[in-house]
């Protein structure tokens, strides 16, 4: 059973009394409801009141809205909930993770490339302040995965790096920023992502490290975070076969389960061996890594029985609630396990003093979200993180007075909606290049032409044409090859993709004029364009990051970030 007087709760007598009295006053339905963190599906006040009165959820993860709308939603939830709610945010990069007006500070990859841990600290601080300002109290961060496999794109930018010490130092710094914002932290994705290339959103993840190796890498990260006082762990739908067999040698392959459904990983390892005393929550329950493994009516109570305290999201709220309740009534969830989970959940609420104060004053959001102080931290982070990966042909700096005529080749994510009107980041790049003194000619993009002119069976022929090499060299002094590709839960790997086959976007021009490659997001694009001999990882697609990258390209400031070996993707030619 949990010790509420110990780390990470450290509750006093008054707080413990509130926890005990609250649990003792609950009905069974209220106890079952506390196990769920549900997603907001409607902002309607009557809907909110009805769902709280029916299902008594313990936590909330809202979706969508500006700072006024989100604060109003969270206020409605807290005002209509008998027991204060844990309200979760997911802010990998700063306050932009919770609000469109929020401040992007830096990705974890950028923070890991920076010297020291100040960037990670500012990222956590701003994330915590801005999320707290609109009523959140629990951050589903920091990501504490180790980026061991360069092909893994789900944690490529979300991990602080491939070195456990860098991960530990930066994750602790990020969490320090959260704690200074009175925000609870969550270490994820136990037992560790970044070892393989698949995405647990789509398929069962697998951390295949031997137990001793796992213990010396991910185990050390988790021990450090526990010692530092992390309040919760988010459990990935990730199996760890060798680690599971360390505790249960008799396990067959067919019995290997994701950590969310694995008692040996949660109870034997995380609770007993690592000594974690806080709250354990599943990752999102609609993800393939759990949905493909057990029938939902089995998986929901099994997650709690295996050691999770809270279950993230519902497929159909009434059905999932009834599955959980039936699991308790059938003895899958014992009375002791339910009581233990409730004490941890209420204990976290007491630590945050939600029983005394559920929400900040509404005026706070207007002075905190997107404030000038936070923008200064963003500017600092951009300056510290942007990394010159290589410049083997010594193309830098590019002087716009002497190399003024620029060709912009902008590689973007494939549009996925009929509402597509172009990537707005492209225009920002154009404006910032022009501001720096370049004249910019933009290479054609198949999707943009289709939007402007309509479909044409000959469009791909236009896109194939590169034209005269002699004319190209006369016309341009430099090519900026900018990659703005993002992806999430669509495919197991997100790779560079041109707008059509045999496109003239392919970097044939590297042998004709100086070419500068810039990635605004992923760090491993050199695998697909190794022939670009000058390459920069910029880590951000905001105007501030783009302007700062161009400033460094033109020699007005130095590159300060440091790349680790994952950027070269285990290939010799990427280093040329």
């Amino acid at each position: 059973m949990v010790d509420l007087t110990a780390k990470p709760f450290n509750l006093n007598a008054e707080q413990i009394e509130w926890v005990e009295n609250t649990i003792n006053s609950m009905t069974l339905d209220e106890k079952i409801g506390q196990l769920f963190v549900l997603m907001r599906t409607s902002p309607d006040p009557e809907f909110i009141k009805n769902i709280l009165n029916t299902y008594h959820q313990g936590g909330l993860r809202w979706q969508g809205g500006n700072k006024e709308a989100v604060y109003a939603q969270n206020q409605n939830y807290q005002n209509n909930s008998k027991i204060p709610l844990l309200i979760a945010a997911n802010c990998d990069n700063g306050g932009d993770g919770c609000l469109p007006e929020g401040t992007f500070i830096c990705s974890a990859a950028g923070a890991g490339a920076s010297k020291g841990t100040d960037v990670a600290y500012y990222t956590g601080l701003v994330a915590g302040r801005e999320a707290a300002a609109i009523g959140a109290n629990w951050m589903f961060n920091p990501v504490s995965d180790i980026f061991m496999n360069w092909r893994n794109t789900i944690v490529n930018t979300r991990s602080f790096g491939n070195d456990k010490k860098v991960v530990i130092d930066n994750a602790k710094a990020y969490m320090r920023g959260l704690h200074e914002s009175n925000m609870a932290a969550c270490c994820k994705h136990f037992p560790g992502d970044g070892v393989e290339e698949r995405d647990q959103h789509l398929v069962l993840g697998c951390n295949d490290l031997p137990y001793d190796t796992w213990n010396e890498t991910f185990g050390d990260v988790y021990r450090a975070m526990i010692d530092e006082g992390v309040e919760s762990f988010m459990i990935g739908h990730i199996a760890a076969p060798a680690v599971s067999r360390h505790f249960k040698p008799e396990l067959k392959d067919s019995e290997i389960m994701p950590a969310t459904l694995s008692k040996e990983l949660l109870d034997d390892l995380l609770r007993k061996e690592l000594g974690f005393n806080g709250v354990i929550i599943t990752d999102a329950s609609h993800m393939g890594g759990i949905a493909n493994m057990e029938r939902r009516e089995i998986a929901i109570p099994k997650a709690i029985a295996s050691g999770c305290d809270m279950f993230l999201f519902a497929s159909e709220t009434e059905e999932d609630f009834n599955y959980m309740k039936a699991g308790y009534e059938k003895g899958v969830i014992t009375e002791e396990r339910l009581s233990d989970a409730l004490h941890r959940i209420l204990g976290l609420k007491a630590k945050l003093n939600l029983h005394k104060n559920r929400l900040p004053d509404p005026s706070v959001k207007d002075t905190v979200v997107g404030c000038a102080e936070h923008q200064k931290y963003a500017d600092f982070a951009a300056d510290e993180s942007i990394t010159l990966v290589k410049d083997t042909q010594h193309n830098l700096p590019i002087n716009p007075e002497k190399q003024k005529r620029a060709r912009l080749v902008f590689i973007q994510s494939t549009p996925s909606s009929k509402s597509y009107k172009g990537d707005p980041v492209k225009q920002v790049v154009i404006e910032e290049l022009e501001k720096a003194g370049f004249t910019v000619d933009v290479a054609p993009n198949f999707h943009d032409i289709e939007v402007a002119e309509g479909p044409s069976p000959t469009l791909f022929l236009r896109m194939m044409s590169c034209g005269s090499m002699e004319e190209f060299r006369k016309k341009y002094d430099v090519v900026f090859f900018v990659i703005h590709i993002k992806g999430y839960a669509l495919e197991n790997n997100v790779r560079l993709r041109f707008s059509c086959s045999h496109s003239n976007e392919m970097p044939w021009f590297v042998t004709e004029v100086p070419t500068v490659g810039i990635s605004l997001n992923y760090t491993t694009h050199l695998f697909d364009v190794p022939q670009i001999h000058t390459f920069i990882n910029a880590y951000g697609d905001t105007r501030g990051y783009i302007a700062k990258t161009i400033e460094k390209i033109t020699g007005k400031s130095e590159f300060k970030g440091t790349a680790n070996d994952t950027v070269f993707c285990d290939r010799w030619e990427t280093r040329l």
Side-chain angles (χ1 to χ4, degrees):
M1 290 287 290
V2 63
D3 181 356
L4 293 179
T5 65
K7 190 188 297 184
F9 301 104
N10 302 310
L11 300 191
N12 59 36
E14 180 272 329
Q15 291 168 317
I16 292 174
E17 182 180 15
W18 176 82
V19 170
E20 297 293 354
N21 290 342
T22 304
I23 293 173
N24 291 336
S25 70
M26 285 182 185
T27 66
L28 176 58
D29 279 3
E30 288 170 342
K31 291 178 179 180
I32 296 299
Q34 285 296 299
L35 304 178
F36 285 93
V37 175
L38 298 180
M39 187 181 293
R40 189 281 291 169
T41 55
S42 170
D44 179 66
E46 286 303 312
F47 170 86
I48 291 171
K49 186 175 182 179
N50 179 64
I51 201 166
L52 287 167
N53 289 338
T54 306
Y55 301 113
H56 320 286
Q57 67 197 70
L60 169 70
R61 176 72 176 91
W62 81 89
Q63 287 293 107
N66 60 24
K67 62 184 180 181
E68 300 295 336
V70 173
Y71 185 90
Q73 290 168 30
N74 292 340
Q75 186 177 48
N76 279 329
Y77 269 96
Q78 291 289 28
N79 288 346
N80 286 288
S81 182
K82 176 182 174 182
I83 299 167
L85 290 160
L86 292 168
I87 300 182
N90 199 56
C91 297
D92 290 354
N93 310 316
D96 68 313
C98 60
L99 292 167
E101 311 99 315
T103 310
F104 177 96
I105 301 298
C106 196
S107 70
S114 306
K115 295 181 178 67
T117 59
D118 286 349
V119 172
Y121 165 72
Y122 289 137
T123 305
L125 181 68
V126 172
R129 285 178 176 177
E130 296 191 353
I134 45 86
N137 47 53
W138 187 14
M139 189 66 72
F140 285 165
N141 289 96
V143 173
S144 303
D145 297 316
I146 306 174
F147 186 45
M148 292 183 171
N149 186 335
W150 71 264
R151 293 181 183 272
N152 185 308
T153 45
I154 196 61
V155 299
N156 177 293
T157 61
R158 304 174 75 198
S159 166
F160 291 109
N162 63 342
D163 183 294
K164 72 174 181 183
K165 185 178 187 309
V166 173
V167 172
I168 289 170
D169 291 346
N170 281 276
K172 286 164 64 173
Y174 180 104
M175 186 167 70
R176 187 171 78 252
L178 289 184
H179 286 167
E180 290 179 15
S181 310
N182 195 34
M183 182 78 63
C186 184
C187 184
K188 64 183 184 184
H189 307 83
F190 179 90
D193 207 341
V195 175
E196 65 153 357
E197 64 185 85
R198 293 175 300 178
D199 178 358
Q200 58 163 323
H201 291 87
L202 306 176
V203 66
L204 174 68
C206 195
N207 184 323
D208 278 322
L209 295 178
Y211 170 77
D212 288 343
T213 305
W214 183 93
N215 204 30
E216 294 167 359
T217 53
F218 287 93
D220 281 352
V221 172
Y222 300 142
R223 275 185 285 270
M225 296 303 289
I226 291 168
D227 288 345
E228 198 71 9
V230 69
E231 290 86 356
S232 60
F233 268 76
M234 179 175 283
I235 308 304
H237 307 306
I238 299 170
V243 181
S244 283
R245 287 193 172 104
H246 174 80
F247 296 97
K248 295 180 71 175
E250 73 280 5
L251 276 179
K252 302 175 183 176
D253 286 352
S254 59
E255 296 172 325
I256 296 293
M257 284 284 143
T260 31
L261 304 175
S262 172
K263 189 173 177 61
E264 69 273 6
L265 294 180
L266 297 179
D267 192 28
D268 294 334
L269 177 56
L270 184 53
R271 289 288 188 214
K272 294 175 182 174
E273 186 166 301
L274 298 181
F276 181 58
N277 187 49
V279 172
I280 295 176
I281 182 171
T282 72
D283 206 336
S285 62
H286 58 270
M287 291 164 61
I290 187 172
N292 299 337
M293 300 304 295
E294 291 275 22
R295 287 173 56 179
R296 196 164 180 87
E297 65 180 311
I298 295 173
I300 288 175
K302 184 176 180 178
I304 304 301
S306 297
C308 293
D309 303 305
M310 302 192 83
F311 192 81
L312 184 57
F313 302 151
S315 178
E316 200 289 319
T317 303
E318 181 179 7
E319 184 174 74
D320 283 4
F321 180 90
N322 288 334
Y323 285 157
M324 189 74 80
K325 186 175 180 180
Y328 169 78
E329 291 171 340
K330 293 175 183 177
V332 175
I333 302 171
T334 65
E335 184 65 40
E336 182 181 48
R337 177 77 273 273
L338 178 61
S339 175
D340 184 47
L342 291 170
H343 278 81
R344 295 179 195 275
I345 296 164
L346 273 293
L348 181 54
K349 295 179 181 185
K351 176 178 180 171
L352 294 167
N353 285 312
L354 297 180
H355 59 306
K356 294 181 177 180
N357 185 24
R358 299 189 182 195
L359 285 166
D361 187 276
S363 65
V364 174
K365 65 184 184 304
D366 299 317
T367 58
V368 168
V369 176
C371 67
E373 179 189 356
H374 292 177
Q375 188 55 54
K376 287 181 181 179
Y377 296 148
D379 294 341
F380 171 82
D383 188 46
E384 291 292 314
S385 63
I386 295 168
T387 301
L388 178 60
V389 176
K390 65 175 182 177
D391 183 27
T392 56
Q393 292 187 342
H394 308 293
N395 290 319
L396 299 184
I398 302 293
N399 185 342
E401 293 181 4
K402 297 179 180 179
Q403 297 166 284
K404 187 178 187 67
R405 302 168 302 167
R407 175 79 156 179
L408 172 62
V409 181
F410 191 86
I411 309 299
Q412 63 195 59
S413 300
T414 302
S416 58
S417 170
K418 290 182 178 180
S419 65
Y420 171 77
K421 300 298 180 186
D423 186 335
V425 174
K426 181 194 291 187
Q427 186 58 38
V428 177
V429 174
I430 294 168
E431 291 170 3
E432 292 301 323
L433 284 171
E434 290 176 341
K435 191 182 297 184
F438 295 99
T439 59
V440 182
D441 180 35
V442 183
N445 173 281
F446 183 91
H447 308 296
D448 290 347
I449 297 174
E450 271 204 328
V451 168
E453 302 178 10
S456 167
T458 61
L459 175 54
F460 81 96
L461 294 174
R462 288 167 57 187
M463 287 297 300
M464 286 176 62
S465 175
C466 297
S468 163
M469 298 297 109
E470 295 292 333
E471 290 300 317
F472 191 89
R473 287 195 297 271
K474 291 177 183 178
K475 190 174 181 180
Y476 301 112
D477 301 311
V478 62
V479 174
F480 293 108
F481 187 87
V482 178
I483 307 169
H484 185 230
I485 289 180
K486 294 184 176 181
Y488 182 78
L490 285 171
E491 53 197 329
N492 280 305
N493 295 120
V494 183
R495 295 275 293 278
L496 189 149
R497 185 176 185 179
F498 301 104
S499 65
C500 71
S501 59
H502 299 288
S503 171
N504 64 31
E505 300 160 312
M506 293 185 290
W508 52 270
F509 33 78
V510 297
T511 55
E512 306 298 330
V513 299
T515 299
V516 179
I518 305 166
S519 173
L520 301 179
N521 188 44
Y522 292 115
T523 64
T524 51
H525 284 308
L526 272 176
F527 184 80
D528 291 316
V529 285
Q531 66 271 46
I532 297 180
H533 302 289
T534 301
F535 203 88
I536 295 159
N537 280 335
Y539 307 110
D541 60 6
T542 65
R543 186 177 292 275
Y545 269 78
I546 291 166
K548 186 63 69 173
T549 300
I550 295 169
E551 177 184 294
K552 293 177 184 296
I553 288 170
T554 55
K556 293 182 178 179
S557 69
E558 63 177 324
F559 288 94
K560 297 180 180 178
T562 303
N564 61 54
D565 270 354
T566 59
V567 301
F568 297 112
C569 311
D570 296 327
R571 300 292 304 183
W572 60 271
E573 70 271 36
T574 56
R575 298 176 183 270
L576 298 178

